[in-house]
Amino acid sequence: MSEHPVESVWDYPRPPALVPFAGLVEVDVAGQSLARTTSALRVLETSHPPTYYMPLADVDTSLLRPVDGGRTICEFKGVASYFDVVVGDRVISRAVWTYPDPTPAFADLRGHVSLMPGLMDECRVDGEVVVAQEGDFYGGWVTSWITGPFKGGPGTRGW
């Protein structure tokens, strides 16, 4: 059972909030540790499971390859740049992103990366294996203490 209080994504704000998370966040891919941190930040937005951002100092950046072009814009956070994850012959395209020059409200995201948990072998929050938010557009991390319904699945884009 989780030691975290239950959170409903419908209680999260819009515009989103950026909050520190002192728990343990771990990401494994292709038998390697991509990230391990107790200094993550969470973005909390109405109808979305949290998205975790990890400081680059706690990420094995040797597994990241910058992607040329293909940036996206978030109305709240700014312009995102992407990385492929490369482990041996395995390449996971555009799986990781960062905001190199975030908006003032999200300035603390500078020097952090997030990722699509469904593209990794395993993501854990305080030892609990994360379920990826449904769909391929959002990067939410679903744990036992996060309740929905969640945006991202079929028919939810217009919520």
Side-chain angles (χ1 to χ4, degrees):
M1 191 67 180
S2 171
E3 59 192 58
H4 296 274
V6 173
E7 299 177 11
S8 168
V9 298
W10 294 97
D11 292 333
Y12 292 164
R14 185 166 173 88
L18 182 63
V19 297
F21 182 77
L24 180 61
V25 176
E26 301 170 286
V27 178
D28 297 331
V29 62
Q32 303 227 11
S33 174
L34 176 61
R36 180 180 171 87
T37 189
T38 56
S39 300
L41 298 171
R42 296 192 311 161
V43 172
L44 308 178
E45 182 176 359
T46 304
S47 78
H48 299 276
T51 304
Y52 287 79
Y53 284 80
M54 294 143 287
L56 280 168
D58 295 335
V59 175
D60 184 348
T61 57
S62 73
L63 303 178
L64 302 181
R65 180 177 65 199
V67 173
D68 291 330
R71 297 171 182 245
T72 59
I73 298 173
C74 170
E75 65 183 302
F76 303 113
K77 296 181 287 289
V79 178
S81 298
Y82 289 82
F83 298 92
D84 295 338
V85 176
V86 182
V87 182
D89 292 338
R90 185 173 174 192
V91 177
I92 308 169
S93 298
R94 296 174 54 90
V96 175
W97 67 90
T98 189
Y99 290 93
D101 189 22
T103 62
F106 288 87
D108 288 345
L109 286 182
R110 185 175 283 110
H112 288 69
V113 296
S114 191
L115 52 86
M116 298 296 282
L119 298 178
M120 302 299 118
D121 291 345
E122 189 170 275
C123 298
R124 295 177 301 282
V125 176
D126 285 338
E128 181 179 336
V129 176
V130 169
V131 175
Q133 180 177 7
E134 197 174 354
D136 62 359
F137 187 74
Y138 305 106
W141 299 41
V142 181
T143 54
S144 62
W145 67 90
I146 306 298
T147 63
F150 309 115
K151 188 171 184 175
T156 66
R157 195 170 282 257
W159 285 5

